Amino acid sequence: MTGNDMSRWSRRGFLATLGGVGMGALAGCGGSAYTQVIGATPREYRGRTHVVAWHSFGGILQEALQKLIDEFNQSQNGIFVEAQFQGSYEQTMQKVAAAIIAKQIPDLAVFSEITWRKMHLADALEPVNSYFDDRLGPHTYIDQFIEEGTVQGRTWWIPFARSTPLFYYNKQIFSRAGLPARAPRSWEEFREWAPAMMKVKGKGGTPKAFAMGGTYASWYFQNNVWVWGGNFSKGLDISIGDEPALAAGRWMVDFIRKDRAAYLSQTPDIDFGQGVTACTVLSTGSLKNTSELAKAGGFEIGTGFLPEHEGAFGCPTGGSGFGILRDAPAERKQAAFEFLRFLAQPAKSAQWTMASGYLPVVKAAQKDPKLVALTKQDDNFSTALRQLPKTKPQDLVRPLVSNAGYMMDVGLQKLYSSTESVDAVFGRLQKQLQSRADLIEESYTKHYK
């Protein structure tokens, strides 16, 4: 989402609504007041219950999702699911919110680990506990994923494209630099290795050691804050201005400005694929695409856990899942859940993982023979699985407070590309985020306490 997009929505006061200040009232007219967004049903599927699913997956991910949907539509004769691409996670959330106000809604939508919480605070989602049965329930999913979508015992968000950040490195550059064939175990070790990486000459000159993405920068920086002993927030008490977070920021700024080893990149995956940088941190969901870029660049990628600091490890979960819209008619909500039941089959969860690089969200999928064979063939697919038990949900300010992720991303981009001090940037964020957090205290208390 661009800054212009955000400004436009702020002027309309819409993100305030998404912060929980009245969506319930806007959406509280009951299912009969809402119609379905415009869609199209192919001739062979006419007469079925038509479910419209909005999503945020483009390219090879869209192809992989559509394949699953086609298989579902062909597997039974009562339901037709139509996928409609809506742009990024943030754009999808905005369009869902606008659709609710217009009272013309999809039945099912993909929400990120951030956007589902805003929809939950706005009372826009259907709890799915009453849809669960012996065949499909919370026990089906990997515990930490289903628990992240569960608040006060009610499940609002079903995991699908879940991810964590991963450390990616260029095996060829590491070999030519005389470095071990593994990711650095700590930020300090990475700093020690960086000069050797930056001496390796390639087709386009010598690489930088580390490309840092500006998009979702705060998701990646959660690792740094945690391993330095801090938090973005504790509940809604903002702490990005506290000393541990400041120390994490100062270290990264030194890595950029003093060591000249790291830099802000708008396209870290492409830079990595072209050998502009030796290392980067990307989502597990980027594994498939990054592997293709590396193959085109003529080198092999390696992956590893995120670096530690003084023995401390930290890695946030991320990605997305499905939410059923509360105000869809009961028949379509049940039909939407039947599609989610299809996706929860171990073989289908594994199929999505192998096509995308996202983590399997179903416990039994980890034993799927095809996925097991793939992890043996390409160890990069198992790195995130091995890191998963060490991960945890992000500090709540980023997923709950309106615009928080965007504001922190902009602040980090400023740090990574200017000479402004960490204390000034994080101090400013501390005040701005606390002011916004205070606005949703009542809604937060209602939904979370």
Side-chain angles (χ1 to χ4, degrees):
M1 179 168 44
T2 68
N4 288 337
D5 292 334
M6 189 64 69
S7 298
R8 184 164 60 251
W9 283 97
S10 295
R11 281 197 299 273
R12 295 175 60 182
F14 203 67
L15 287 177
T17 298
L18 289 179
V21 194
M23 178 68 87
L26 287 169
C29 298
S32 61
Y34 291 79
T35 59
Q36 190 179 49
V37 292
I38 295 174
T41 304
R43 181 186 300 273
E44 63 268 32
Y45 296 127
R46 287 177 186 168
R48 297 187 180 193
T49 300
H50 180 198
V51 172
V52 174
W54 281 6
H55 70 89
S56 307
F57 305 113
I60 61 173
L61 298 179
Q62 186 171 21
E63 294 172 7
L65 175 62
Q66 188 59 55
K67 186 173 189 298
L68 284 166
I69 290 174
D70 290 343
E71 291 172 358
F72 172 73
N73 289 336
Q74 294 162 11
S75 71
Q76 39 75 46
N77 56 18
I79 302 168
F80 168 66
V81 173
E82 178 186 4
Q84 296 182 355
F85 176 70
Q86 301 298 320
S88 69
Y89 289 142
E90 290 77 11
Q91 290 167 334
T92 299
M93 177 189 72
Q94 292 168 0
K95 291 180 180 179
V96 170
I100 291 172
I101 286 183
K103 297 190 175 181
Q104 190 174 23
I105 59 176
D107 310 295
L108 188 65
V110 166
F111 297 109
S112 74
E113 84 280 12
I114 290 177
T115 60
W116 85 264
R117 289 189 185 271
K118 293 180 170 60
M119 284 292 161
H120 170 237
L121 280 186
D123 296 324
L125 299 179
E126 172 84 354
V128 297
N129 300 66
S130 64
Y131 298 81
F132 286 144
D133 53 28
D134 292 341
R135 294 179 295 154
L136 176 65
H139 62 278
T140 306
Y141 298 95
I142 291 175
D143 293 342
Q144 56 212 101
F145 288 154
I146 195 69
E147 288 169 1
E148 195 172 341
T150 302
V151 180
Q152 301 286 34
R154 305 178 82 187
T155 301
W156 308 87
W157 184 58
I158 295 294
F160 177 59
R162 298 308 312 274
S163 61
T164 69
L166 272 187
F167 191 93
Y168 291 73
Y169 65 96
N170 182 318
K171 284 187 174 181
Q172 186 180 51
I173 291 177
F174 270 45
S175 175
R176 292 177 62 190
L179 298 172
R182 61 169 174 82
R185 295 193 174 98
S186 68
W187 285 105
E188 289 73 21
E189 188 173 58
F190 189 14
R191 185 177 226 165
E192 179 184 335
W193 290 2
M197 299 176 202
M198 294 190 291
K199 291 178 182 175
V200 176
K201 292 184 177 179
K203 296 177 182 176
T206 55
K208 287 285 190 179
F210 190 45
M212 298 182 297
T215 303
Y216 304 127
S218 54
W219 183 49
Y220 300 125
F221 192 67
Q222 180 77 84
N223 154 262
N224 305 74
V225 172
W226 279 342
V227 301
W228 256 264
N231 296 91
F232 287 143
S233 72
K234 295 179 179 177
L236 290 184
D237 294 329
I238 310 302
S239 51
I240 194 171
D242 292 355
E243 184 53 35
L246 294 173
R250 292 185 194 115
W251 192 96
M252 191 55 70
V253 163
D254 285 347
F255 200 36
I256 298 168
R257 299 178 191 173
K258 293 183 179 178
D259 299 343
R260 299 186 179 279
Y263 69 104
L264 175 67
S265 170
Q266 296 302 315
T267 54
D269 54 341
I270 294 176
D271 286 5
F272 181 71
Q274 294 179 342
V276 176
T277 180
C279 308
T280 190
V281 170
L282 298 169
S283 166
T284 54
S286 300
L287 180 57
K288 187 75 173 181
N289 188 55
T290 304
S291 297
E292 293 296 325
L293 290 171
K295 186 177 180 181
F299 67 92
E300 291 184 38
I301 67 169
T303 54
F305 293 3
L306 295 188
E308 300 179 355
H309 170 64
E310 297 182 348
F313 179 82
C315 180
T317 53
S320 60
F322 280 104
I324 297 174
L325 273 293
R326 188 194 74 172
D327 289 299
E331 179 188 14
R332 294 210 302 268
K333 286 191 284 192
Q334 183 64 53
F337 186 79
E338 293 308 313
F339 174 57
L340 299 182
R341 186 192 300 278
F342 176 84
L343 295 179
Q345 294 178 30
K348 299 306 174 189
S349 179
Q351 177 181 326
W352 172 249
T353 293
M354 290 185 285
S356 65
Y358 282 110
L359 288 160
V361 297
V362 173
K363 291 174 183 174
Q366 298 180 64
K367 297 180 180 178
D368 179 85
K370 292 182 180 178
L371 182 57
V372 171
L374 178 62
T375 57
K376 289 180 178 178
Q377 177 185 346
D378 185 350
D379 187 56
N380 291 317
F381 275 89
S382 69
T383 305
L385 283 173
R386 290 184 279 107
Q387 183 179 243
L388 182 59
K390 298 160 68 72
T391 64
K392 60 181 180 180
Q394 303 163 55
D395 295 335
L396 280 178
V397 59
R398 188 170 183 270
L400 277 184
V401 175
S402 183
N403 281 5
Y406 173 77
M407 292 167 63
M408 289 193 286
D409 289 352
V410 170
L412 289 166
Q413 290 165 19
K414 184 80 172 178
L415 273 186
Y416 298 162
S417 61
S418 75
T419 59
E420 190 164 6
S421 73
V422 176
D423 292 48
V425 173
F426 284 8
R428 191 162 58 241
L429 280 173
Q430 172 79 29
K431 294 178 182 177
Q432 294 171 337
L433 293 172
Q434 190 61 66
S435 176
R436 285 175 174 261
D438 291 344
L439 292 175
I440 63 166
E441 182 63 37
E442 182 178 347
S443 181
Y444 171 72
T445 299
K446 172 188 171 186
H447 290 83
Y448 283 83
K449 294 183 177 178

